[in-house]
Amino acid sequence: MAGLNLNDTLRLASIWHSLHAIASQLSPIPGCSGIELLIADAFDLHCFQTLTGTKFLLVVEPGTPEVEDFLKSTVYDLYTDYVLKNPFYEVEMPVRCELFDVNLFQTIGTVHKRWGIFGSQP
């Protein structure tokens, strides 16, 4: 998604949000919150939804380990530290916080090295 402009990113997020909501309503499992993992031939798309409804999406190579833990702990911790504590952030708006971006990209670089994928660049 790095090569997409803001409108394309918002459009994709909107489509995912709709699919996520429909899946939660159609699921035969009581209390289902929606799609958490979409497995395709070329990628896996993981989704973590917070209690406040914010969704984090992560597109990875198939079979990438520890993605759920990475989303639920590391990315969410960065979000709470750098976005939610930012007095200029408005809820329900796209995240535009330089400290969040810098720390997220550093963390992704570290994880890539640990997993041995994509060299050191996110």
Side-chain angles (χ1 to χ4, degrees), residues 68-86:
E68 292 82 15
D69 292 337
F70 179 70
L71 276 172
K72 291 178 181 176
S73 61
T74 308
V75 174
Y76 187 66
D77 287 347
L78 291 172
Y79 175 73
T80 57
D81 286 344
Y82 296 105
V83 177
L84 293 181
K85 294 178 184 176
N86 180 345

Side-chain angles (χ1 to χ4, degrees), residues 14-54:
S14 176
I15 291 169
W16 180 262
H17 176 75
S18 299
L19 291 172
H20 194 269
I22 290 169
S24 68
Q25 292 175 0
L26 294 178
S27 174
I29 301 170
C32 177
S33 64
I35 302 170
E36 294 178 358
L37 174 62
L38 176 87
I39 299 174
D41 291 337
F43 65 90
D44 291 350
L45 190 151
H46 293 261
C47 178
F48 168 61
Q49 181 173 333
T50 67
L51 294 175
T52 60
T54 301

